[in-house]
Amino acid sequence: PLCPPVGRAKSLSPEEVCDHEKQYVGFATLPNQVHRKSVKKGFDFTLMVAGESGLGKSTLVNSLFLTDLYKDRKLLNAEERINQTVEIIKHTVDIEEKGVKLKLTIVDTPGFGDAVNNTECWKPITDYIDQQFEQYFRDESGLNRKNIQDNRVHCCLYFISPFGHGLRPVDVEFMKALHEKVNIVPLIAKADCLIPSEIRKLKERIREEIDKFGIKVYQFPECDSDEDEEFKQQDRELKESAPFAVIGSNTVVEAKGQRVRGRLYPWGIVEGKHGAWEHWEEGQAGMGQR
Ligand code: GDP
């Protein structure tokens, strides 16, 4: 990898080749080496989903990664949920896209917020996150550091009910208990249940409450000042639209002659293209079509 590209060297005279080789250190190929190594090794990504049951967590995860991660899921009845304790269930799947391998782990937290008494129901979740940090620390301090499996939770999607008037006490407590440990991305679940003005109001309210309670949610990184204007605009819009309002769908429907993932209602179709609210507005154009 430290040799100059052959094609280029051929067109140079012997003296020029000599000069050229003197100037050539080889670090220009470093990005390719890093890239090749990373692609070969693959990536680990652990995503946690939390929020009251029935808010569409499994549906969204399945639609995000185009897989069925919840094949053997057991749903509890009302009586069982009264004294339900929070469980931590891991679903792992290997995904490959254009030769890039991803070991995706979804950490589900069934039972969160479902019991009658939800005092400290986030405790098993914070304990789990801490355990993963400790395990990683132990592995890093050990001898076999090359093959560490990274099980730390990289991101937590927190589902907020669209039916309330902002955050519930349990939402505030959960996010405050976790915000120092994991990147929290708050989402407004089932956004198709609200009209655009309601969504705007709810987002505003949630943003105010996040500020008021000093919750630190995930902040998108600043984009570089030399990026082009279109990219900067996209970046601004993305930041302004947080908390994202999402729609999940596991079914493919036909809208305007195209097959899309969406929800088919008696009055029309809502397109759930990877969830962002902006995309839902595209879906709105499809409304009214039966
Ligand atoms: P979970 O318990 O949070 O994992 O919720 P599920 O994914 O099992 O979804 C519960 C119910 O809500 C199912 O009947 C889904 O079809 C429905 N659902 C899921 N996502 C959406 C959505 O974005 N909008 C609406 N209206 N319903 C949804």
Side-chain angles (χ1 to χ4, degrees):
L2 290 177
C3 301
V6 178
R8 235 160 94 203
K10 258 190 202 159
S11 59
L12 301 173
S13 69
E15 301 82 61
E16 279 173 330
V17 169
C18 217
D19 274 358
H20 177 73
E21 276 178 356
K22 265 188 229 152
Q23 286 162 15
Y24 195 84
V25 181
F27 55 79
T29 61
L30 277 178
N32 300 346
Q33 294 181 34
V34 174
H35 179 248
R36 206 164 353 110
K37 233 173 134 180
S38 318
V39 167
K40 209 170 128 201
K41 198 164 157 241
F43 298 88
D44 288 322
F45 184 66
T46 303
L47 179 70
M48 176 178 263
V49 284
E52 197 185 315
S53 104
L55 283 183
K57 299 186 293 297
S58 355
T59 311
L60 190 81
V61 165
N62 282 341
S63 33
L64 274 178
F65 297 103
L66 310 174
T67 56
D68 186 8
L69 278 143
Y70 293 83
K71 277 183 232 86
D72 22 70
R73 184 174 177 219
K74 195 176 130 252
L75 288 175
L76 300 179
N77 62 32
E79 206 177 316
E80 286 167 321
R81 272 194 268 151
I82 294 176
N83 295 314
Q84 162 80 11
T85 48
V86 179
E87 280 179 84
I88 306 282
I89 299 182
K90 272 172 44 168
H91 308 264
T92 306
V93 63
D94 290 307
I95 312 182
E96 196 171 326
E97 193 175 82
K98 293 187 186 160
V100 180
K101 286 187 224 126
L102 175 73
K103 184 168 175 290
L104 172 72
T105 308
I106 302 292
V107 180
D108 202 358
T109 55
F112 172 80
D114 285 354
V116 170
N117 181 358
N118 284 316
T119 318
E120 301 232 320
C121 64
W122 52 89
K123 191 85 179 46
I125 302 174
T126 49
D127 287 349
Y128 176 82
I129 294 175
D130 286 340
Q131 277 161 19
Q132 305 316 309
F133 278 128
E134 274 163 33
Q135 183 63 44
Y136 194 80
F137 178 69
R138 267 202 301 275
D139 291 347
E140 275 250 291
S141 333
L143 290 175
N144 190 10
R145 292 199 302 188
K146 237 178 154 184
N147 302 313
I148 298 180
Q149 165 107 43
D150 184 3
N151 283 321
R152 293 170 300 175
V153 180
H154 301 113
C155 177
C156 171
L157 299 181
Y158 187 74
F159 287 68
I160 299 166
S161 165
F163 309 118
H165 295 285
L167 298 177
R168 295 171 310 157
V170 67
D171 300 332
V172 175
E173 292 300 327
F174 175 88
M175 289 198 262
K176 277 174 81 172
L178 265 83
H179 66 180
E180 302 280 3
K181 301 176 194 286
V182 64
N183 297 309
I184 300 179
V185 177
L187 302 176
I188 298 174
K190 299 189 173 180
D192 53 327
C193 301
L194 301 172
I195 58 170
S197 60
E198 290 167 336
I199 284 275
R200 273 193 291 276
K201 234 161 89 189
L202 185 58
K203 281 189 176 199
E204 191 81 7
R205 186 78 196 249
I206 293 172
R207 277 197 288 260
E208 277 168 22
E209 288 179 331
I210 282 176
D211 270 357
K212 184 171 131 201
F213 294 109
I215 299 167
K216 292 179 220 138
V217 292
Y218 175 70
Q219 298 296 329
F220 287 93
E222 283 305 314
C223 78
D224 292 336
S225 51
D226 58 351
E227 293 288 359
D228 58 55
E229 206 34 60
E230 198 184 330
F231 183 82
K232 281 186 187 163
Q233 178 64 20
Q234 249 181 23
D235 184 67
R236 256 195 306 273
E237 281 170 15
L238 195 70
K239 284 176 184 156
E240 280 163 14
S241 52
F244 303 121
V246 295
I247 299 163
S249 165
N250 288 334
T251 40
V252 177
V253 289
E254 204 160 314
K256 290 187 275 176
Q258 282 187 338
R259 285 168 66 73
V260 291
R261 276 189 169 243
R263 306 187 65 81
L264 177 64
Y265 288 103
W267 39 264
I269 291 164
V270 177
E271 192 183 335
K273 206 163 66 185
H274 285 192
W277 168 243
E278 287 77 20
H279 293 138
W280 189 68
E281 283 179 342
E282 285 169 28
Q284 271 183 305
M287 278 193 196
Q289 293 183 351
R290 298 246 163 154

